[in-house]
Amino acid sequence: MSKKLFIETLGCAMNSRDTEHMIAELTEKEGYETTDDFVEADLILINTCSVRERPVHKLFSELGGFNKKKKPSAKIGVCGCTASHLGEEILKRAPYVSFVLGARNVSKITEVLHKDKAVEIDINYDESEFAFNDFRSSPYKAYINISIGCDKSCTFCIVPKTRGDEISIPADLIIKEVQKVVNSGVKEVFLLGQNVNNYGRRFSAEQEKINFTQLLRRLSTIEGLERIRFTSPHPFHMDDEFIEEFASNPKICKSMHMPLQSGSTKVLKEMKRGYTREWFLNRVEKLKTMCPDVSISTDIIVAFPGESDEDFADTIDLMKQVRFNQIFSFKYSPRPETEAESFTNTVDDEVASQRLSQLQSLNNEILDELNAKSLGKVYRVYFEELNRDYFVSGRSDNNIVIKVKGSDDLLGQFRDVKITSIGRTILTGEIVA
Ligand code: 5AD
Ligand code: SF4
């Protein structure tokens, strides 16, 4: 009987892809098979996120839960960003853990498996050209890494300490990978990197000079590839050439994630984001002018140290001007080894909660207004998931989740769908063509 592997994945799309890489290595080289039930697993992995504090606390209680109910012979491994930043400490706090594998060391999964109490967390380890085995959780769309690490030094962010310096993956490897998934039937790719539009800044060996816009142009010549998405671009690197390519290239999906963080230039400066409120608004205006159907999503942090009522009002005002289609909003959470950790002008937690709920109510109002305008409109949907009650769902080009009644015949297919009813996060429609 084959050995069973259970993996829980927290955090961002980058982690989801790391999980796919670990599954690929463990199934191909070690004969594992995945399971959804950790109680029957021979290996339990938790692929962690450390961007905010709460999940770190949760990690240890979860590990305790795994340890209590797991098979006596089963191993537990802690992987991902929290593994990178806590390292040895995980083994001290949870001595039943077998190994700790950092976010920049995923390719060593089959090595650490056989070394008791291994801790592999070198953030300078270069995996940018590692040839992983192949595993993809969806046959319809594929995550493709284009860079690893992050070269920025945003004062709130732990990521550069867990994923190391930014290294771009050579363009010829990316193109080959995309060609391979397209040959296997995938029609949509999702390019991944911490700052995708900084692509090409540094490679691990001598490479041809190529930037993100040029990479997009090249990828879009691949026959059979119909949609290209990417995350996350950085507002600082959104030059005219990039926005023009985004708007004019029909294969690039018209949905842009623009992580704002704050609408106040003063706070942006304290965060070391590298742009001002005016630059952000200017980029949004250019984007909307060139591409009227674009949907824009963002990340916002409230109550960063020193954020005054006026600064927060600037964020609210910017939200009203931009009318984002989706906002991921967070209370500032101090992280170890970051510059902002030592800032003493912290904002009272009650004020932080109040700001977060004000922001989220405004966002819901805006979303309801935007969604109401979708009623009766027709979107081209790429179907990728079978849901309960005979519904099948997919996304429009501009990233709206849309479901229709139907069967698995629709999976992997494009259809025109007319919207018949509206929810806040998902729209329902019927196929018209
Ligand atoms: N506190 C709160 N939110 C954070 N993020 C990153 N670091 C922190 C932090 N210390 C948010 C940012 C980022 C998203 C992935 O997580 O908004 O864009
Ligand atoms: Fe963190 Fe800033 Fe890098 Fe994003 S760009 S991962 S927020 S340091």
Side-chain angles (χ1 to χ4, degrees), residues 81-210:
C81 284
T82 307
S84 306
H85 113 252
L86 292 182
E88 289 277 351
E89 200 189 320
I90 295 177
L91 296 182
K92 286 198 190 115
R93 283 170 69 175
Y96 47 82
V97 166
S98 302
F99 59 85
V100 176
L101 184 67
R104 185 80 173 238
N105 310 89
V106 174
S107 60
K108 293 186 177 166
I109 180 67
T110 54
E111 264 175 57
V112 291
L113 185 62
H114 299 294
K115 286 191 212 152
D116 197 32
K117 307 293 171 202
V119 178
E120 287 285 351
I121 54 169
D122 179 3
I123 62 163
N124 295 314
Y125 189 65
D126 185 358
E127 291 190 316
S128 63
E129 297 188 33
F130 187 84
F132 282 98
N133 275 292
D134 212 18
F135 172 83
R136 300 199 172 266
S137 37
S138 165
Y140 313 112
K141 66 174 180 192
Y143 286 128
I144 306 279
N145 289 106
I146 67 163
S147 62
I148 59 176
C150 176
D151 263 4
K152 300 269 185 266
S153 37
C154 301
T155 55
F156 54 82
C157 188
I158 197 172
V159 170
K161 300 286 184 324
T162 63
R163 289 192 175 267
D165 290 346
E166 189 169 317
I167 302 181
S168 300
I169 294 169
D172 56 337
L173 292 186
I174 298 171
I175 292 164
K176 250 194 229 150
E177 179 84 4
V178 173
Q179 187 67 67
K180 190 168 86 185
V181 297
V182 168
N183 290 347
S184 77
V186 162
K187 292 177 189 146
E188 177 176 311
V189 294
F190 209 130
L191 309 177
L192 296 181
Q194 229 66 47
N195 286 302
V196 283
N197 51 348
N198 196 29
Y199 178 80
R201 197 182 120 104
R202 185 192 303 121
F203 294 96
S204 51
E206 191 68 27
Q207 292 291 337
E208 60 167 330
K209 230 58 236 91
I210 171 168

Side-chain angles (χ1 to χ4, degrees), residues 51-52 156-158 257 259 261 273 299-301 328 330-335:
V51 161
R52 282 166 295 278
F156 54 82
C157 188
I158 197 172
H257 188 61
Q261 314 303 357
R273 287 292 289 172
D299 295 340
I300 296 178
I301 297 177
F328 301 93
F330 317 99
K331 261 196 231 177
Y332 168 67
S333 160
R335 306 306 297 122

